[in-house]
Amino acid sequence: MKSRMTIKDFAELLGVSTATVSRAFSGRGRISEKTRQTIVAKAEEVGYRVNIHARTLGAGRSNMVALFYPAFEGDEPDYFIGEIMQGVSQTLNREGRTLQIHPVITKSSDIERCRDYILGGLYAGIIVVAGSQESKNLVKTAKSNEIPYVVIGHMSGEHLNAVTFDNERGAELAGRYFKATGRKFPAYVSGYLDKRKKNGFQKGLEELSEKLIITGSGGSFKHGALAYEQLKREHPEVDCVLCANDVLAMGLLRAATDDKRNIPEELAVIGFDDIRMASYYNPSVSSITLRLFQIGEASVQLLSRLLEGEEVSHPEQIKCDLILRESS
Amino acid sequence: MKSRMTIKDFAELLGVSTATVSRAFSGRGRISEKTRQTIVAKAEEVGYRVNIHARTLGAGRSNMVALFYPAFEGDEPDYFIGEIMQGVSQTLNREGRTLQIHPVITKSSDIERCRDYILGGLYAGIIVVAGSQESKNLVKTAKSNEIPYVVIGHMSGEHLNAVTFDNERGAELAGRYFKATGRKFPAYVSGYLDKRKKNGFQKGLEELSEKLIITGSGGSFKHGALAYEQLKREHPEVDCVLCANDVLAMGLLRAATDDKRNIPEELAVIGFDDIRMASYYNPSVSSITLRLFQIGEASVQLLSRLLEGEEVSHPEQIKCDLILRESS
DNA sequence: TTGTAGGCGTTATCAG
DNA sequence: CTGATAACGCCTACAA
């Protein structure tokens, strides 16, 4: 990188002090509108820019925010995170802050690096998506060092500064719907561990839950197709399925339609998360909407309040709803 | 944030100089393995971490990398970028380099801030996805300030440090395939402006291109469905379609299957990009694969070479291929 | 191998 | 409203 002009050079060039230049850009301290404009204009002309690292060091505060999320193995794109990220990113931009995304792979080397950054003062605050031991550790790190943080999802002990969604109730809606529409033999295809969904589903199914079949061993499209094959083989009577996520539901639907099953007459399927693709799929996938974009948005807003020193007394609950489409 | 221990406090605590502590963490300068281990262990114990901003300022070099990409209006998730980002992210992690992803939306309102960051010395280097005037401006900024950069895609004047894919040839493959399989009435559904695809398609179609219908006004699922309706109304003879991206193809396919059209007998459809969902869709979508993940990977590797001062003499070309699936 | 001390580019305090 | 100047926390010649 070409060595750039510093505040000192620039101030000399203008014949003012560095303090004045600083005021012109920081928006802090008193400065006459006229000199400010002169300075800004001249900066534009000669190409002076404030050095971010020096500014952060001098001011003692950063304006970057990081998003940490658990990444699973495999090359399947993470649609869930992708849509949350969109909400986070757009909201942050609106607020004039800068986002850094950190997928936290489940390797200890990665998490140490994340810690280095968090504790190294890189961020004003962090947003952590719950779901792994690593997420939990990151939050613990933030908390014990009094770094503002927001949790997305459920994490034990994090009841306040969190953006949550009621998975359990969402799944319950699915159960109730299956029961109300006269289904008799329900199944649940789990993704990665999440007891809440299963519990809610059982609650909604009421007495039907006695016959609930539980299967599943992963969260991908392929796992969905496998689940269909297994159900067909071992429990052909199953007539309705709740899947732990939408991609899983698509995989299952795909296998079922290939098998000439009538959807939803013979088999009703509901997914989870309501990613955008759920509405595009063929058949379109009924789903429990988590309003992922809104979750991202809310987490940034919550963090902003924290950053401004506000006390937050209760979590932000995003409402779950059952969106009915062709698959059920 | 709790005010944290500085190198000075920590050095005093250990009874060594700050220089020694610095050496223990930076990996630069000579230091006995024994004292290094002692220092690292003690740091772990008392919770000392290097301040990132101070380090960067002192060392005069950053180790962050930013990924800039053009964002279009609307809340449609960007699958194209999402998959590239995955490649970028995983490669950065794998390299064990302390690099970070920094997705920034490049709308003109945001572009000044991007500039502030780039010129503010925040990054060691940047990766810019081509596709908008803003991307071009960002690259110009980087270039004129000698900041290492890599371009993903085609950008006029950027022939060297770029990771490119041959859109034109990819589209040509689609054209050739349609011709070879006896199609007679081709159509092209464009997304956002990209002449290269259309040109390649025409080349592959040979004499069929005289009858080529061109339509399209956007890149979303909805636009794909609209395109189908329009084609049906105005050019019912069309029997094969190339879409500028996969989501567009899905929208078109969805409208066509709802309309009881036999796919691919009556209408063959090929998409572009080969996002993961293309293989999941029903029917699965034939597509020109750009190997998005690999593009992300390659861009990081190229940037790494640049950062190490290596001269790069030619762009990294990622091969396009036609992946045949059910839709054609 | 380790210590000393000046410098990195801003911000913020305190006078003027 | 503006100017001097001491932090900010770390890196790195240069010395020892």
Side-chain angles (χ1 to χ4, degrees):
Chain A
M1 173 165 69
K2 194 157 62 182
S3 93
R4 304 183 36 66
M5 180 179 287
T6 73
I7 197 174
K8 209 172 136 204
D9 307 332
F10 182 58
E12 267 171 20
L13 193 73
L14 274 132
V16 299
S17 72
T18 61
T20 303
V21 172
S22 175
R23 289 185 192 104
F25 292 109
S26 67
R28 290 167 165 264
R30 305 206 157 291
I31 183 174
S32 84
E33 182 54 24
K34 195 175 132 203
T35 57
R36 199 188 65 75
Q37 284 183 3
T38 316
I39 292 176
V40 169
K42 191 72 179 176
E44 182 72 26
E45 184 192 327
V46 302
Y48 166 74
R49 300 268 172 162
V50 177
N51 177 301
I52 306 286
H53 296 288
R55 156 174 288 182
T56 308
L57 185 59
R61 63 191 125 68
S62 153
N63 70 342
M64 294 187 229
V65 166
L67 173 70
F68 295 90
Y69 64 89
F72 296 101
E73 289 305 326
D75 55 352
E76 173 105 31
D78 195 326
Y79 301 97
F80 178 86
I81 295 295
E83 301 197 11
I84 288 180
M85 210 188 289
Q86 259 223 333
V88 169
S89 163
Q90 292 194 16
T91 314
L92 235 25
N93 267 302
R94 226 181 299 140
E95 297 201 353
R97 287 186 186 275
T98 295
L99 173 64
Q100 307 225 345
I101 307 278
H102 288 252
V104 182
I105 312 287
T106 327
K107 283 192 310 191
S108 47
S109 64
D110 289 325
I111 192 155
E112 256 329 287
R113 193 139 41 84
C114 294
R115 271 231 185 70
D116 281 345
Y117 290 139
I118 295 175
L119 296 178
L122 196 49
Y123 313 118
I126 67 176
I127 300 175
V128 180
V129 178
S132 71
Q133 187 54 45
E134 283 72 28
S135 321
K136 217 175 253 177
N137 288 337
L138 250 29
V139 166
K140 205 193 315 178
T141 298
K143 190 192 301 211
S144 64
N145 288 79
E146 294 172 27
I147 291 166
Y149 68 92
V150 166
V151 175
I152 291 181
H154 294 278
M155 189 177 285
S156 58
E158 299 304 323
H159 302 302
L160 264 38
N161 34 359
V163 176
T164 61
F165 30 89
D166 196 345
N167 269 353
E168 189 161 342
R169 192 182 137 66
E172 187 180 337
L173 293 174
R176 288 223 293 260
Y177 175 79
F178 283 150
K179 180 167 152 51
T181 50
R183 304 284 168 177
K184 297 300 177 202
F185 301 98
Y188 174 65
V189 179
S190 68
Y192 299 102
L193 46 159
D194 183 342
K195 278 189 297 199
R196 304 175 58 88
K197 292 178 190 168
K198 192 197 67 180
N199 291 344
F201 191 38
Q202 289 178 313
K203 197 183 296 181
L205 288 168
E206 296 184 23
E207 79 284 356
L208 288 183
S209 82
E210 286 166 25
K211 288 176 282 180
L212 178 63
I213 306 298
I214 296 176
T215 179
S217 56
S220 74
F221 187 83
K222 198 184 60 196
H223 287 113
L226 286 174
Y228 176 77
E229 300 302 342
Q230 193 193 340
L231 286 175
K232 181 189 176 184
R233 203 170 45 236
E234 301 173 13
H235 305 280
E237 75 279 11
V238 164
D239 59 2
C240 64
V241 185
L242 174 66
C243 295
N245 72 51
D246 290 328
V247 174
L248 215 39
M250 292 178 200
L252 190 145
L253 282 166
R254 185 60 213 258
T257 52
D258 283 355
D259 196 29
K260 307 285 185 239
R261 295 291 290 273
N262 263 328
I263 307 290
E265 293 78 7
E266 294 176 49
L267 185 65
V269 179
I270 297 182
F272 223 106
D273 299 347
D274 190 29
I275 62 175
R276 179 54 65 105
M277 272 292 164
S279 62
Y280 295 169
Y281 204 67
N282 185 7
S284 57
V285 185
S286 297
S287 187
I288 308 298
T289 185
L290 260 35
R291 306 179 204 284
L292 298 172
F293 187 94
Q294 198 180 321
I295 285 175
E297 218 172 9
S299 66
V300 171
Q301 285 160 355
L302 187 53
L303 185 58
S304 293
R305 284 160 53 198
L306 253 29
L307 291 176
E308 281 161 15
E310 203 174 309
E311 283 297 319
V312 172
S313 57
H314 61 279
E316 196 78 30
Q317 265 263 20
I318 305 290
K319 215 174 108 216
C320 281
D321 273 312
L322 172 59
I323 308 289
L324 292 175
R325 301 202 179 91
E326 296 164 340
S327 71
S328 69
Chain B
M1 174 164 70
K2 193 157 60 178
S3 93
R4 303 183 37 65
M5 180 179 287
T6 74
I7 196 174
K8 208 171 135 205
D9 307 331
F10 182 59
E12 267 170 20
L13 192 72
L14 273 132
V16 300
S17 72
T18 61
T20 304
V21 173
S22 174
R23 290 186 192 105
F25 292 108
S26 68
R28 290 165 164 264
R30 303 205 159 290
I31 183 174
S32 83
E33 182 54 23
K34 194 175 134 203
T35 57
R36 199 188 64 75
Q37 284 184 2
T38 315
I39 292 176
V40 169
K42 192 71 178 178
E44 182 71 26
E45 184 192 326
V46 303
Y48 167 73
R49 300 270 172 160
V50 178
N51 177 301
I52 306 285
H53 295 289
R55 155 174 289 181
T56 307
L57 186 58
R61 62 190 123 69
S62 155
N63 60 358
M64 295 188 230
V65 164
L67 173 69
F68 296 91
Y69 60 89
F72 295 101
E73 290 304 326
D75 55 353
E76 174 105 32
D78 195 325
Y79 301 97
F80 178 86
I81 294 295
E83 300 196 12
I84 289 179
M85 210 188 292
Q86 257 223 332
V88 170
S89 156
Q90 293 196 14
T91 312
L92 290 183
N93 269 306
R94 188 154 11 101
E95 292 207 345
R97 282 173 157 278
T98 43
L99 299 180
Q100 308 177 35
I101 308 182
H102 192 145
V104 178
I105 295 178
T106 62
K107 288 187 305 193
S108 46
S109 58
D110 297 322
I111 189 125
E112 261 322 292
R113 191 144 43 85
C114 296
R115 270 233 185 68
D116 281 345
Y117 289 137
I118 296 175
L119 297 177
L122 196 48
Y123 313 118
I126 67 176
I127 299 174
V128 180
V129 178
S132 70
Q133 187 54 46
E134 282 74 29
S135 318
K136 216 176 255 178
N137 289 337
L138 250 27
V139 166
K140 205 194 312 176
T141 299
K143 192 192 300 210
S144 65
N145 288 79
E146 295 173 26
I147 291 166
Y149 67 93
V150 166
V151 174
I152 290 181
H154 294 277
M155 188 176 287
S156 57
E158 299 305 325
H159 302 302
L160 264 38
N161 34 0
V163 176
T164 61
F165 31 88
D166 196 345
N167 269 353
E168 188 160 342
R169 192 184 137 64
E172 186 181 336
L173 293 175
R176 288 224 294 259
Y177 175 78
F178 284 150
K179 180 167 150 53
T181 49
R183 304 283 167 176
K184 299 297 178 204
F185 303 98
Y188 174 64
V189 179
S190 69
Y192 298 101
L193 46 159
D194 184 341
K195 278 189 298 198
R196 304 175 58 90
K197 292 179 191 170
K198 193 198 67 182
N199 291 343
F201 191 39
Q202 289 178 314
K203 196 183 296 179
L205 288 168
E206 297 184 24
E207 80 283 357
L208 287 184
S209 82
E210 286 166 25
K211 288 176 284 181
L212 178 64
I213 307 299
I214 296 176
T215 180
S217 56
S220 74
F221 187 83
K222 199 183 60 198
H223 288 113
L226 287 173
Y228 175 78
E229 301 302 340
Q230 193 193 338
L231 287 174
K232 180 188 177 183
R233 203 169 48 235
E234 300 173 13
H235 306 280
E237 74 280 10
V238 165
D239 58 3
C240 63
V241 185
L242 174 65
C243 295
N245 71 51
D246 291 326
V247 174
L248 216 39
M250 292 178 201
L252 190 144
L253 282 166
R254 185 60 214 256
T257 51
D258 282 355
D259 196 29
K260 307 285 185 237
R261 295 291 291 272
N262 264 328
I263 307 291
E265 294 77 7
E266 296 176 48
L267 185 66
V269 179
I270 296 181
F272 223 106
D273 299 347
D274 191 31
I275 62 175
R276 178 54 65 106
M277 272 291 164
S279 62
Y280 295 169
Y281 205 67
N282 184 7
S284 56
V285 184
S286 297
S287 187
I288 309 299
T289 185
L290 259 35
R291 304 178 206 284
L292 298 172
F293 187 94
Q294 199 180 323
I295 286 175
E297 217 170 11
S299 66
V300 171
Q301 286 160 355
L302 186 53
L303 184 59
S304 293
R305 284 161 52 198
L306 253 29
L307 291 177
E308 280 161 16
E310 203 174 308
E311 284 296 319
V312 173
S313 57
H314 61 280
E316 197 78 29
Q317 264 263 22
I318 305 290
K319 215 174 110 216
C320 281
D321 272 311
L322 172 58
I323 308 290
L324 293 175
R325 301 202 179 91
E326 296 164 339
S327 71
S328 69

